[in-house]
């Protein structure tokens, strides 16, 4: 589960970083557009007044007026034909449509172009924004108001505001202006006044009219705010939505994969043991799916083995039980003590056979049902082989069992094994070889730096290659016989394969140079912990 959380946290961290970068980029782009619009709105009124004033003059009067306006506004002004500018057709069309074209950098330096009706362009070179530009704007407004009658001035001011200005302008009485006495005295002396608005985020400009008592008020003029509340709210909503969507995508993907696991588990619980989870990936869910499929395969195999064992055991038990019943009847009908003893001896042999069968079944079931308790220790494998050869030589006196001990020092002959199980595996191999050998069985032990190998060979009839894999199947006899003469119950080699499996090795079968079969088991000298 740790990798799942790491994946989710990693995805969220990546999303958070990505959203933060995109948000910062969006803020910069939005602020760039907002700042350009703000500057254009602030400049449109002033330079439209200038352009209209120049347009009403004769060409020979314009230079002197330009010089006067430069002094008033504190900017460089020029009238040039549009073909002498560096503007392209798109920029000229934009200036014509919007009445003004502003090109300004982040240092508030730039150029303003205002088209005139005679094909000329007013170009203003702005090096820096100062209060003089605002005071000059007030002066231009006053120049427009002085020729008018007092009753017409307010209406004309409203018309100018609607045409060009982005902030309110009006004529106010000094008593209604909320100005202090020192400020009113400054205005009465003919000076222009700048005053902060009530919210400290705007400014207001005042200028006196020399021929009446009212004051010209421009503003409040809002200062440019880099991070207004609406923009911050939009960015927060964007980040929240993006992160929520990322969480949904990550959790949805995880949920979809877990549902596949749930579906496979449901199918298995309903008896469909062939159901598997089709999931890939190296994360925890992928590894869980892999483990689940392994578990399902193991359960399917165990149930298959269980069914096979039930069928085979019922068949194996039927013969000795039938002999026991027959022997019991014969013993009851025996007329002499010798006949009775012979029948009892046969019954004892049948009971021994049943006991051996039960032992084989329990051993195989223990090895198949899960990991048995195995304690690996360093053992001299040659000693295990010697022990098995001695035991089998006593059981099979007619068979020559050859065992050539390794010439390596004892320390180098050792390998990590579970002695009890390894003894059982070698015993099954040698016993199986003795059962089918004509006269000779050969046992040998080989090892290298990494692996150990035991070979058990016989001079019997051998095993066809197409049957090599089948001999390890539980309850399998190649001659399909289940008589005493066939020997065993078809579990010995299956037990060998499972013991070697739990030793992290493998069991093999092949041809022997003695003419019969060669069974080999290979496993690592040092076991994984």
């Amino acid at each position: 589960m740790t990798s799942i959380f790491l994946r989710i946290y990693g995805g969220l961290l990546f999303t958070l970083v990505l959203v933060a970068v995109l948000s910062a980029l969006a803020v910069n782009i939005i602020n760039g557009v907002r700042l350009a619009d703000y500057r254009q709105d602030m400049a449109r009124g002033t330079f439209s007044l200038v352009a209209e004033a120049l347009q009403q003059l004769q060409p020979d009067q314009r230079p002197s007026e330009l010089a006067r306006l430069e002094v008033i506004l504190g900017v460089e002004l020029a009238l040039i034909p549009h073909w002498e500018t560096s503007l392209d057709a798109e920029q000229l069309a934009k200036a014509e449509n919007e009445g003004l074209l502003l090109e300004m950098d982040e240092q508030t330096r730039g150029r303003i172009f205002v088209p005139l009706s005679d094909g000329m362009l007013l170009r203003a070179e702005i090096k820096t924004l100062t209060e003089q530009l605002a005071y000059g704007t007030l002066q231009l407004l006053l120049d427009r108001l002085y020729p008018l009658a007092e009753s017409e001035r307010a209406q004309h001011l409203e018309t100018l505001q609607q045409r060009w200005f982005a902030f309110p302008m009006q004529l106010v009485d000094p008593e209604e202006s909320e100005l202090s006495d020192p400020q009113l005295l400054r205005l009465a002396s003919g000076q222009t006044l700048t005053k902060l608005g009530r919210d400290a985020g705007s400014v207001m400009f005042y200028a006196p009219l020399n021929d009446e008592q009212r004051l010209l008020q421009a503003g409040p003029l809002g200062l440019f705010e880099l991070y207004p509340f609406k923009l911050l709210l939009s960015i927060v909503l964007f980040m929240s939505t993006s992160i929520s969507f990322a969480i949904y995508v990550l959790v949805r993907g995880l949920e979809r994969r877990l549902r596949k696991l749930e579906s496979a588990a449901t199918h298995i619980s309903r008896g469909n043991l062939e159901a598997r989870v089709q999931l890939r990936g190296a994360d925890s869910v992928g590894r869980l799916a892999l483990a689940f499929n392994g578990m399902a395969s193991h359960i399917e195999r165990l149930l298959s083995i269980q069914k096979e064992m039930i069928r085979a055991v019922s068949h194996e038990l039927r013969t000795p039980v039938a002999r026991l019943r027959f022997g019991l009847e014969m013993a009851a009908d025996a007329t002499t003590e010798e006949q009775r003893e012979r029948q009892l001896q046969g019954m004892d042999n049948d009971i021994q056979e049943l006991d051996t069968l039960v032992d084989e079944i329990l051993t195989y079931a223990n090895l198949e049902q899960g990991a048995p308790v195995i304690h690996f220790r360093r053992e001299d494998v040659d000693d295990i082989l010697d022990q098995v050869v001695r035991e089998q030589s006593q059981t099979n006196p007619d068979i020559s069992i050859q065992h050539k001990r390794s010439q390596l020092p004892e320390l180098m002959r050792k390998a990590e094994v579970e002695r009890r199980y390894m003894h059982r595996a070698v015993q099954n191999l040698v016993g199986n070889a003795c059962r089918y050998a004509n006269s000779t069985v050969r046992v040998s032990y080989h090892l290298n730096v990494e692996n150990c190998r035991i070979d058990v060979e016989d001079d019997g009839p051998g095993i066809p290659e197409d049957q090599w894999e089948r001999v390890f199947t539980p309850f399998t006899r190649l001659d399909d016989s289940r008589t005493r003469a066939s020997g065993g119950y078809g579990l010995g080699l299956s037990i060998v394969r499972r013991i070697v499996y739990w030793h992290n090795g493998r069991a093999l079968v092949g041809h022997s140079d003695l003419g019969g079969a060669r069974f080999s088991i290979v496993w690592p000298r040092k076991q994984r912990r």
Side-chain angles (χ1 to χ4, degrees):
M1 296 299 290
T2 302
S3 62
I4 295 178
F5 290 124
L6 288 177
R7 181 183 177 189
I8 294 177
Y9 291 149
L12 290 179
L13 181 61
F14 173 78
T15 303
L16 185 60
V17 172
L18 181 62
V19 169
V21 171
L22 292 177
S23 299
L25 184 62
V27 169
N28 287 334
I29 294 174
I30 293 173
N31 276 340
V33 174
R34 291 178 58 241
L35 184 58
D37 292 343
Y38 175 81
R39 288 171 172 172
Q40 188 159 316
D41 289 340
M42 293 300 103
R44 179 178 286 109
T46 301
F47 292 99
S48 295
L49 287 174
V50 173
E52 188 175 78
L54 293 173
Q55 203 163 256
Q56 296 173 357
L57 299 177
Q58 297 297 324
D60 59 339
Q61 297 176 324
R62 289 177 177 177
S64 60
E65 181 64 12
L66 279 175
R68 186 181 76 87
L69 291 174
E70 284 182 345
V71 174
I72 293 176
L73 298 174
V75 298
E76 296 181 8
L77 301 174
L79 283 174
I80 56 175
H82 65 81
W83 59 82
E84 293 184 4
T85 66
S86 59
L87 302 179
D88 55 27
E90 183 179 352
Q91 291 174 315
L92 289 171
K94 181 179 180 181
E96 193 69 34
N97 293 332
E98 298 184 7
L100 178 140
L101 178 65
L102 174 66
E103 294 182 344
M104 188 168 288
D105 58 21
E106 295 180 357
Q107 283 72 39
T108 68
R109 295 178 300 185
R111 297 180 301 173
I112 297 175
F113 296 92
V114 183
L116 276 64
S117 59
D118 56 0
M120 301 295 286
L121 283 175
L122 171 65
R123 184 184 68 191
E125 298 280 350
I126 300 178
K127 296 180 179 180
T128 183
L129 295 177
T130 63
E131 285 188 352
Q132 185 177 354
L133 188 60
Y135 294 151
T137 302
L138 292 177
Q139 184 60 50
L140 293 177
L141 290 171
L142 292 175
D143 292 343
R144 295 291 295 267
L145 295 178
Y146 282 140
L148 302 176
E150 292 186 11
S151 59
E152 299 175 348
R153 289 175 175 175
Q155 181 62 39
H156 185 69
L157 201 60
E158 183 178 351
T159 302
L160 291 177
Q161 175 190 338
Q162 294 176 354
R163 287 179 61 191
W164 295 322
F165 289 89
F167 49 86
M169 299 181 299
Q170 57 183 331
L171 297 174
V172 297
D173 292 326
E175 293 80 5
E176 300 175 358
S177 61
E178 298 183 0
L179 296 173
S180 61
D181 291 340
Q183 291 172 329
L184 292 174
L185 290 175
R186 180 178 174 180
L187 290 170
S189 65
Q191 299 182 45
T192 304
L193 177 68
T194 302
K195 179 179 180 293
L196 285 175
R198 293 181 179 180
D199 57 358
S202 60
V203 293
M204 302 180 68
F205 298 95
Y206 293 90
L209 278 74
N210 296 333
D211 57 351
E212 63 169 296
Q213 294 296 320
R214 289 183 298 178
L215 303 174
L216 172 60
Q217 175 183 297
L221 190 153
L223 301 177
F224 183 76
E225 187 178 357
L226 279 175
Y227 304 106
F229 175 75
K230 290 183 178 180
L231 178 60
L232 291 179
L233 180 60
S234 300
I235 295 299
V236 170
L237 291 176
F238 169 73
M239 294 182 68
S240 301
T241 304
S242 301
I243 294 174
S244 300
F245 179 74
I247 293 174
Y248 171 78
V249 170
L250 291 171
V251 174
R252 179 65 176 172
L254 179 61
E255 181 185 8
R256 185 167 55 250
R257 302 179 77 196
L258 290 177
R259 280 183 177 176
K260 290 183 179 180
L261 270 171
E262 180 185 4
S263 176
T266 302
H267 282 292
I268 290 177
S269 68
R270 292 175 179 175
N272 180 15
L273 299 179
E274 296 179 356
R276 298 294 184 269
V277 184
Q278 302 299 324
L279 285 179
R280 304 283 186 201
D283 60 351
S284 294
V285 178
R287 294 195 299 272
L288 178 60
L290 186 63
F292 181 90
N293 289 339
M295 177 193 69
S297 298
H298 187 63
I299 292 174
E300 184 180 17
R301 186 171 60 85
L302 287 178
L303 290 178
S304 175
I305 291 171
Q306 184 184 53
K307 292 178 181 178
E308 179 64 25
M309 286 181 65
I310 291 173
R311 287 194 297 267
V313 167
S314 63
H315 189 92
E316 293 288 348
L317 290 176
R318 187 174 293 116
T319 299
V321 169
R323 288 201 303 265
L324 280 172
R325 182 178 293 111
F326 178 76
L328 185 61
E329 291 175 357
M330 292 295 294
D333 295 338
T335 57
T336 65
E337 187 67 26
E338 181 181 356
Q339 291 177 340
R340 187 179 294 107
E341 286 295 331
R342 187 167 58 249
Q343 294 302 325
L344 291 176
Q345 181 62 40
M347 293 170 62
D348 184 68
N349 292 336
D350 290 333
I351 293 173
Q352 181 63 37
E353 183 179 344
L354 285 173
D355 184 63
T356 303
L357 173 60
V358 171
D359 179 63
E360 292 278 292
I361 293 173
L362 291 177
T363 300
Y364 181 74
N366 179 53
L367 291 170
E368 280 290 351
Q369 287 179 357
V373 179
I374 295 181
H375 302 287
F376 293 112
R377 290 190 176 88
R378 287 178 56 81
E379 300 281 355
D380 187 342
V381 179
D382 257 337
D383 286 347
I384 299 176
L385 298 185
D386 274 342
Q387 181 182 356
V388 173
V389 169
R390 288 195 305 271
E391 294 169 352
Q392 291 298 319
S393 295
Q394 295 174 1
T395 307
N396 302 278
D398 297 333
I399 303 297
S400 173
I401 305 176
Q402 302 172 0
H403 172 222
K404 185 178 180 180
R405 292 185 63 92
S406 173
Q407 301 302 314
L408 294 174
E410 179 183 354
L411 184 62
M412 298 182 65
R413 296 198 305 265
K414 291 187 175 182
E416 291 188 356
V417 296
E418 216 294 356
R419 186 181 181 95
R420 177 169 58 96
Y421 282 115
M422 186 56 66
H423 177 275
R424 180 62 177 270
V426 177
Q427 183 183 58
N428 285 6
L429 289 179
V430 175
N432 185 75
C434 291
R435 189 174 300 118
Y436 294 99
N438 293 324
S439 60
T440 305
V441 171
R442 185 168 63 199
V443 182
S444 58
Y445 174 48
H446 313 277
L447 71 164
N448 56 30
V449 176
E450 296 182 354
N451 297 317
C452 302
R453 178 184 180 120
I454 295 176
D455 294 326
V456 178
E457 305 169 74
D458 64 72
D459 60 351
I463 300 174
E465 292 187 11
D466 59 349
Q467 300 291 327
W468 284 358
E469 185 62 29
R470 185 166 173 257
V471 296
F472 293 105
T473 304
F475 299 103
T476 297
R477 291 190 182 93
L478 300 186
D479 58 1
D480 292 326
S481 167
R482 291 183 181 274
T483 64
R484 280 180 187 264
S486 67
Y489 309 98
L491 285 174
L493 295 179
S494 301
I495 292 173
V496 170
R497 170 167 279 190
R498 296 313 296 172
I499 289 175
V500 178
Y501 171 79
W502 292 118
H503 280 73
N504 301 303
R506 62 189 186 278
L508 309 169
V509 62
H511 295 301
S512 170
D513 56 10
L514 295 178
R518 181 184 65 220
F519 285 90
S520 304
I521 56 176
V522 183
W523 75 96
R525 293 185 67 176
K526 187 174 180 60
Q527 297 293 338
R528 298 189 302 268
R529 301 301 181 188

